[in-house]
Amino acid sequence: MPRRADSSNSGGGHGEPYTGGISYSGAKILITGGTGSIGGELLTTLLRHRPKLVVVFSNDENGLFEKRSEVGRRDDVEFMLGDIREPHSLE
């Protein structure tokens, strides 16, 4: 779970993205719609904060393939194919 960080860690104006004072370091994060434009940018931004794991969840199989190719092989990113409207795909 994300934790509140001190104000010196909140980014903005120093080349770091603004995080609202939340530290994502060591967090486990799920991005639904992770292959879309917003989800992809969110993934890029979150990886700068060294989370323990980011799960990119999408119903776009080709988008997952492309995003996996873009990100490369990493231990802190997993890709899952499924649809949040189908609960069995979340298991």
Side-chain angles (χ1 to χ4, degrees), residues 13-81:
H14 300 286
E16 290 293 316
Y18 177 71
T19 63
I22 297 173
S23 172
Y24 295 98
S25 178
K28 294 180 182 178
I29 302 164
L30 170 67
I31 301 175
T32 59
T35 59
S37 59
I38 295 172
E41 186 59 33
L42 186 57
L43 173 63
T44 301
T45 300
L46 287 170
L47 288 177
R48 292 185 205 141
H49 295 278
R50 295 183 303 272
K52 181 175 184 175
L53 178 66
V54 178
V55 178
V56 179
F57 187 81
S58 179
N59 64 358
D60 177 7
E61 188 170 2
N62 188 58
L64 284 169
F65 175 80
E66 289 176 3
K67 188 57 67 180
R68 179 179 283 136
S69 297
E70 179 185 317
V71 170
R73 185 164 174 81
R74 298 178 62 126
D75 292 334
D76 56 352
V77 180
E78 289 182 9
F79 296 90
M80 288 183 60
L81 178 64

